[in-house]
Amino acid sequence: MLACILLTLFTSACFGAPVEEEPEDVNLPPYIAQQFVDPAEDVVLVESDDPLMLSVDVLLDPNEESQLYYAVIGDRSGLVEQATASRTPAQELYRNAFYQFDGVDIEVDPCGERLADHDDEMIRLHVSDRPFERVTEAGVDLQDDAFLQTHQWVLRFQPHLCS
C-alpha cells in the first residue's frame, strides 16, 4: 500500500499537472460601422454632374492588425482604387472591441467615360484583414485565412444628367 502511495506521488511530481495550451488568437473579420459611412444611404440619388464623394471615415477590426487592405470596385467603373489603411494611434478601442484604422475617400465622376450614359452604378468597398490574393475589375479573391467585409452604394443618376 505504501508503495502505491509513493509511486503515485513520484509520478505526479515527475509529470506534474497537464500543461494547458494557450488558446490561439482567433482571427475575426474587419467591420464597417454604418455610422462612419457617408453618404449613409445604400441608394444615392445623384442629381448633379459634380463629382460625388463616397467615404468611410474609420475602418475597424477586432484583431490587432497593423493595416487593413481595401479595394473599391464599380460595376461599370471597374477598379477605382486599391490600397491599405493603417491603424490609427487611438488609445481607446471603439466600443471596447475594435481597433481603428484610417478611412477611405473615393471621388466618383457621374459624367466620367464609363458612367455618362447609364442610369446607375454600384460601387463596392471591399475590406480585408489580409492582402488580397487577386484584385480584378470584377472583384477580389482572398487568401485562405482572410476575412472580407463589404459595403456598397448604388448610385442612381438623374436622367440626362450629363447632356
Side-chain angles (χ1 to χ4, degrees):
M1 177 71 160
L2 181 59
C4 287
I5 293 173
L6 289 174
L7 182 60
T8 303
L9 288 174
F10 176 72
T11 56
S12 63
C14 289
F15 299 109
V19 176
E20 291 184 28
E21 293 183 26
E22 290 201 21
E24 288 186 32
D25 289 335
V26 176
N27 187 26
L28 298 169
Y31 180 61
I32 299 171
Q34 189 63 35
Q35 73 188 64
F36 295 126
V37 174
D38 185 38
E41 301 82 20
D42 292 336
V43 178
V44 179
L45 181 58
V46 180
E47 300 177 302
S48 167
D49 61 355
D50 293 334
L52 174 70
M53 186 62 72
L54 305 175
S55 65
V56 176
D57 295 331
V58 177
L59 298 174
L60 303 165
D61 194 289
N63 300 105
E64 196 173 1
E65 315 283 355
S66 60
Q67 60 188 3
L68 296 177
Y69 304 83
Y70 69 88
V72 179
I73 301 172
D75 282 354
R76 292 183 177 80
S77 302
L79 178 61
V80 176
E81 182 174 305
Q82 177 183 356
T84 60
S86 298
R87 195 168 78 211
T88 61
Q91 298 298 321
E92 295 182 24
L93 296 177
Y94 174 73
R95 294 189 179 171
N96 294 320
F98 297 97
Y99 293 93
Q100 300 179 40
F101 294 78
D102 294 334
V104 177
D105 295 314
I106 301 300
E107 187 174 273
V108 178
D109 181 0
C111 295
E113 185 178 324
R114 291 182 165 191
L115 300 180
D117 296 327
H118 296 282
D119 297 333
D120 58 16
E121 166 74 329
M122 182 176 295
I123 303 282
R124 291 181 183 86
L125 167 63
H126 300 287
V127 179
S128 178
D129 57 350
R130 303 285 186 268
F132 296 113
E133 188 75 27
R134 187 173 72 145
V135 178
T136 67
E137 294 281 314
V140 296
D141 293 332
L142 300 177
Q143 297 179 9
D144 290 339
D145 63 343
F147 281 105
L148 182 71
Q149 177 72 31
T150 300
H151 180 80
Q152 65 186 28
W153 292 272
V154 175
L155 308 179
R156 292 266 158 80
F157 303 121
Q158 178 179 349
H160 312 294
L161 183 67
C162 302
S163 320

